[in-house]
Amino acid sequence: MVQNTLDFLMEYGIWGVVIHSFADAIIFPIPVFFLQVSLSMIDPSHALWIATAGYIACLLGTPVGYFLGKGLGHSVLYKILKKEWIDSATAMFQKRGEMAVFIGAFTPIPFKVFTIMSGCLKFPLWKLIGYAAIGRAVKFYLVGFLFYFYGRMAENMVNNASLYVFLIMIPILLIGLWIKKRWNKRRELLALSKQTSDDSSK
């Protein structure tokens, strides 16, 4: 069934990737990663175009999945998604908060789980799109660049490269969040200090 679906979408080339990637962010059970790799194998010179098409379609599908989750609510998630996917995504949200969306871009869990879950948990849409834009860009273009520069030999590199990029990006993201937290705290202290000064001068 899975292979038949991929074969059907492969017949449409880059438009198959657009359809698959858009649906992957909403309800499609097969990650677009497999189709991207298969099409990039056929013609590595088009790998970057394939990555771009998939990336844009994913971002367009992200708010659709979000509003689907927001409208349906958490109670119906188990009817349309696998229990293990939901449990894993929920654990990520509880432990890592907003980082869950970014991390979800690299995990084997289909991305639609995170878009729908974000809607259910009323996670800010702009943050969902922001983190998805970063995480999915890395995911799509990692595959695209590897096939573009290494051709069909990249097939054996993709999985290991994804792991290495994931291990590199997570510390960078953690540092960014720490800096943001420190900056916000500093702004709050300055605002409080200014308010105290104004009150004392009255």
Side-chain angles (χ1 to χ4, degrees):
M1 178 64 181
V2 172
Q3 190 58 51
N4 290 337
T5 303
L6 290 176
D7 290 342
F8 173 77
L9 290 169
M10 282 183 68
E11 294 180 7
Y12 293 91
I14 199 166
W15 286 106
V17 172
V18 170
I19 295 169
H20 193 164
S21 186
F22 182 84
D24 183 31
I26 304 171
I27 200 168
F28 205 59
I30 307 168
V32 68
F33 169 82
F34 298 107
L35 183 62
Q36 182 189 4
V37 170
S38 297
L39 286 175
S40 298
M41 285 267 301
I42 294 173
D43 190 354
S45 65
H46 288 170
L48 292 180
W49 286 112
I50 293 169
T52 301
Y55 175 62
I56 293 173
C58 175
L59 293 186
L60 291 175
T62 295
V64 179
Y66 176 87
F67 285 113
L68 177 66
K70 191 173 183 179
L72 294 177
H74 196 278
S75 60
V76 297
L77 276 179
Y78 289 95
K79 295 181 181 179
I80 62 174
L81 300 172
K82 289 185 178 180
K83 183 179 183 300
E84 56 266 29
W85 291 347
I86 299 171
D87 292 344
S88 297
T90 300
M92 285 187 189
F93 270 105
Q94 290 174 342
K95 292 179 180 178
R96 300 176 179 89
E98 57 190 22
M99 280 187 62
V101 177
F102 181 83
I103 295 172
F106 295 90
T107 65
I109 304 171
F111 191 62
K112 66 178 178 291
V113 177
F114 294 91
T115 61
I116 296 174
M117 182 73 73
S118 295
C120 289
L121 298 177
K122 295 184 172 52
F123 186 77
L125 178 59
W126 69 271
K127 284 189 176 183
L128 169 65
I129 294 175
Y131 281 104
I134 299 171
R136 299 305 274 179
V138 175
K139 183 80 171 184
F140 276 106
Y141 284 103
L142 171 67
V143 175
F145 276 110
L146 283 175
F147 275 101
Y148 184 78
F149 287 110
Y150 294 98
R152 293 181 176 86
M153 291 188 299
E155 182 183 13
N156 297 323
M157 305 177 185
V158 171
N159 291 328
N160 289 336
S162 296
L163 175 61
Y164 295 145
V165 170
F166 174 73
L167 293 175
I168 293 170
M169 290 298 293
I170 289 301
I172 293 175
L173 182 61
L174 285 172
I175 293 170
L177 290 173
W178 179 79
I179 293 173
K180 179 184 175 183
K181 185 177 180 180
R182 294 277 296 182
W183 174 255
N184 289 337
K185 188 174 181 180
R186 183 181 177 185
R187 288 179 62 185
E188 290 175 2
L189 290 173
L190 287 173
L192 182 61
S193 176
K194 183 179 179 181
Q195 184 179 355
T196 303
S197 177
D198 291 341
D199 292 341
S200 62
S201 63
K202 290 180 181 180

